[in-house]
Amino acid sequence: MATMTDQELEIVLRQAKAGDKMAEQNLLIYIRNNYMRRIGRYLNKNRLVDNDDIKQEFMIGVAFAISKCELDIGNPIEYLVSQGVYRVRSFMRGNIIKNTVQVCRECGTVTRLNMVNGQYVCKKCGSINIDTTEIHDHDDIAMENAVDTQEPIDEMIASTIMIEEFEATLPDGSNVKNLYELLKSGINSDNPMIKNYTKTIARIWGGCSEQNVVQTLHKLRKRMQDFARSKGFDIIDGKFVYRED
């Protein structure tokens, strides 16, 4: 089912949420055929991750979100798609972390990343004199970051870990977390396909005012800044960066 009218889509959504497996299958096919392009930026970025696995993660994220979808609030399809994109982003970040180790300069111990209060700590001797290195030097994601942003791998990984810790502080169901997930899914000022992202979010939220979205955005930014400072970081260009004392 490649296309559906708005009325047909609403019926399928309600049936899928109610547990109708055939309706769920039709809904997933519809989203796969019409919204898979939203994860195009993540394809062909890492030789260790197959494109089919990325596409599968997207569809799993969509499928898991069906039961949580609010049909009468905002745009339910956009919510499902954003959850799929969010799962892909988490999958790709997790792959970076999985393929990075820390090396203690004091005792030479090599382990998985062990960050405590914003610093890498040796699990053996407790030293904070740590280097980070990739297990796979041909990882295109790391190459892309090194070439495009000139961001050191240790700062990239530290930022990734801090982002995940910050996400865990956002209350489920809150406007702040809902906004955060929408921004992460690609509905933001960096998306050339969206002329006014605050207006788009206001529409997804059921037609609330843009002022409401902006106020929530300010709360989110302040919350992130406060969290970063508490961990010894600053927020620069949306990333956690070690604070220079």
Side-chain angles (χ1 to χ4, degrees), residues 45-46 95-96 99 134 136-143:
K45 293 298 184 182
N46 189 327
N95 189 72
I96 295 175
N99 292 311
E134 293 173 278
H136 306 282
D137 293 334
H138 58 275
D139 189 329
D140 286 349
I141 291 181
M143 290 172 62

Side-chain angles (χ1 to χ4, degrees), residues 29 43 55 64 79 120 131 135 149 211:
I29 292 173
L43 302 177
K55 293 176 181 178
F64 282 168
Y79 169 78
Y120 296 114
D131 284 329
I135 300 173
T149 68
Q211 182 179 4

Side-chain angles (χ1 to χ4, degrees), residues 4 7 14 28 60 72 82 84 89 105 118 172 174 185 195 220 241-242:
M4 281 190 272
Q7 184 177 10
R14 292 189 180 279
L28 292 176
I60 290 174
D72 301 318
S82 69
R89 289 173 63 94
R105 294 179 182 176
D172 289 336
S174 66
S185 73
K195 295 182 179 179
L220 175 60
V241 178
Y242 290 115

Side-chain angles (χ1 to χ4, degrees), residues 194-207:
I194 299 178
K195 295 182 179 179
N196 186 330
Y197 77 99
T198 57
K199 183 176 181 179
T200 299
I201 292 174
R203 177 178 56 79
I204 292 172
W205 280 2

Side-chain angles (χ1 to χ4, degrees), residues 13 27 31 61-62 65-66 69 75-84:
L13 274 166
L27 177 60
I31 291 178
V62 172
I66 291 176
C69 181
N75 185 328
I77 291 295
E78 188 61 46
Y79 169 78
L80 295 178
V81 172
S82 69
Q83 293 304 297

Side-chain angles (χ1 to χ4, degrees), residues 54-189:
I54 297 173
K55 293 176 181 178
Q56 183 180 41
E57 289 296 321
F58 172 74
M59 296 309 301
I60 290 174
V62 172
F64 282 168
I66 291 176
S67 63
K68 304 175 184 178
C69 181
E70 295 294 340
L71 303 181
D72 301 318
I73 299 177
N75 185 328
I77 291 295
E78 188 61 46
Y79 169 78
L80 295 178
V81 172
S82 69
Q83 293 304 297
V85 174
Y86 176 76
R87 186 178 176 95
V88 168
R89 289 173 63 94
S90 297
F91 176 68
M92 300 299 283
R93 290 201 312 269
N95 189 72
I96 295 175
I97 293 175
K98 181 178 66 176
N99 292 311
T100 305
V101 296
Q102 65 179 42
V103 182
C104 179
R105 294 179 182 176
E106 302 294 335
C107 69
T109 298
V110 179
T111 65
R112 293 295 183 184
L113 298 176
N114 180 45
M115 180 170 281
V116 180
N117 294 326
Q119 291 183 311
Y120 296 114
V121 178
C122 178
K123 295 181 179 180
K124 183 175 181 180
C125 71
S127 171
I128 59 174
N129 192 9
I130 300 293
D131 284 329
T132 59
T133 184
E134 293 173 278
I135 300 173
H136 306 282
D137 293 334
H138 58 275
D139 189 329
D140 286 349
I141 291 181
M143 290 172 62
E144 180 185 32
N145 275 279
V147 173
D148 293 346
T149 68
Q150 298 181 339
E151 181 182 10
I153 183 65
D154 61 331
E155 290 190 4
M156 180 180 69
I157 298 301
S159 180
T160 297
I161 293 174
M162 286 297 99
I163 287 172
E164 291 182 345
E165 289 190 12
F166 173 71
E167 289 173 359
T169 70
L170 300 177
D172 289 336
S174 66
N175 284 344
V176 171
K177 184 162 187 176
N178 290 338
L179 176 61
Y180 179 81
E181 291 181 344
L182 286 173
L183 294 172
K184 284 188 59 179
S185 73
I187 304 177
N188 53 55
S189 59

